[in-house]
C-alpha cells in the first residue's frame, strides 16, 4: 500500500514536474547517520529523516497542523512511512524543504525511501480485507434498516 501510494504521488508529480520525494533538493553537503538523528528527539531539538534527507523541524513544531504529539512520536527517527501515510500535500513538501539540513549517510539509507517504483506485494490481501469490511458494514446497515420497517 505504501509503495503504491508513493508511486502514485510520484506519477502525479511528474505530470506537473514536481519532486515528491525531495530527491532533486540541492545537497547541503552534510551527511548524518540515523544514530545522530536519534539524538534529536525532543520538542526543544527535533530532527527527522524523510526520503533519506534529514530535517531539523524544531522551529516548525508549534505550526504543525497535526499537532506536536505526532511530531514527537516520530522525532529522531526515519519517518518516511508516517510522512507518506498521512498523505502530505505538495505545499507541505515544499515547506519541509525549509528545514532540510543534510542527507542520511549511505550506510543508513532506507530502501523504501530510495526506490520509486516497486511491485505491489500485499495489495490483493489489502483489497480483500477492504471488501470484507465494506460487505460487513453494508450487511449491518441492511439489517438495521430492515428491522425498523
Amino acid at each position: 500500500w505504501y509503495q503504491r501510494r508513493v508511486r502514485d504521488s510520484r506519477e502525479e508529480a511528474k505530470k506537473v514536474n514536481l519532486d515528491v520525494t525531495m530527491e532533486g533538493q540541492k545537497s547541503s553537503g552534510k551527511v548524518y547517520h540515523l544514530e545522530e538523528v536519534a539524538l534529536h528527539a525532543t520538542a526543544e531539538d527535533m530532527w527527522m529523516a524523510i526520503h533519506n534527507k534529514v530535517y531539523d523541524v524544531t522551529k516548525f513544531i508549534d505550526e504543525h497542523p497535526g499537532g506536536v504529539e505526532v511530531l514527537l512520536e516520530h522525532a529522531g527517527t526515519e519517518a518516511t512511512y508516517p510522512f507518506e501515510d498521512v498523505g502530505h500535500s505538495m505545499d507541505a513538501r515544499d515547506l519541509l524543504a525549509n528545514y532540510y539540513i543534510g542527507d542520511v549517510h549511505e550506510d543508513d539509507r532506507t530502501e523504501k525511501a530510495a526506490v520509486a517504483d516497486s511491485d505491489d506485494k500485499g495489495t490483493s490481501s489489502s483489497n480483500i480485507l477492504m471488501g470484507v469490511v465494506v460487505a460487513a458494514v453494508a450487511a449491518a446497515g441492511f439489517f438495521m434498516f430492515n428491522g425498523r420497517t
Side-chain angles (χ1 to χ4, degrees), residues 1 3 11 14-15 35 38 44 50 56 63 66 71 74 78-79 95 100-101 110 115 117 123 130:
W1 176 84
Q3 293 164 338
E11 288 173 4
K14 285 178 187 176
K15 293 177 187 175
E35 284 179 355
E44 296 77 30
I50 300 172
D56 180 348
E63 299 172 37
L71 291 176
H74 302 290
E78 200 299 310
L95 186 60
Y100 170 74
I101 58 170
T110 57
V115 175
D117 292 324
T123 300
M130 182 59 79

Side-chain angles (χ1 to χ4, degrees), residues 84-140:
E84 291 299 340
D85 191 41
V86 171
H88 283 92
S89 67
M90 291 309 298
D91 289 338
R93 294 166 194 280
D94 289 342
L95 186 60
L96 185 61
N98 296 327
Y99 302 99
Y100 170 74
I101 58 170
D103 297 309
V104 173
H105 191 277
E106 189 175 298
D107 293 343
D108 292 339
R109 289 180 171 264
T110 57
E111 194 62 29
K112 69 179 179 182
V115 175
D117 292 324
S118 62
D119 60 12
D120 288 331
K121 292 179 184 171
T123 300
S124 61
S125 62
S126 297
N127 290 340
I128 291 170
L129 179 59
M130 182 59 79
V132 169
V133 169
V134 168
V137 169

Side-chain angles (χ1 to χ4, degrees), residues 30-37 49 52-54 102-110:
K30 295 184 180 178
V31 178
Y32 301 97
H33 281 279
L34 289 177
E35 284 179 355
E36 187 170 357
V37 173
N52 293 319
K53 304 285 184 187
V54 179
D103 297 309
V104 173
H105 191 277
E106 189 175 298
D107 293 343
D108 292 339
R109 289 180 171 264
T110 57

Side-chain angles (χ1 to χ4, degrees), residues 63-85:
E63 299 172 37
H64 187 255
V68 175
E69 294 80 19
V70 70
L71 291 176
L72 284 170
E73 182 179 341
H74 302 290
T77 68
E78 200 299 310
T80 300
Y81 179 80
F83 181 82
E84 291 299 340
D85 191 41

Side-chain angles (χ1 to χ4, degrees), residues 1-18:
W1 176 84
Y2 160 77
Q3 293 164 338
R4 185 179 68 236
R5 183 177 191 139
V6 170
R7 186 189 66 238
D8 291 347
S9 295
R10 288 180 180 178
E11 288 173 4
E12 185 64 29
K14 285 178 187 176
K15 293 177 187 175
V16 290
N17 198 24
L18 298 173

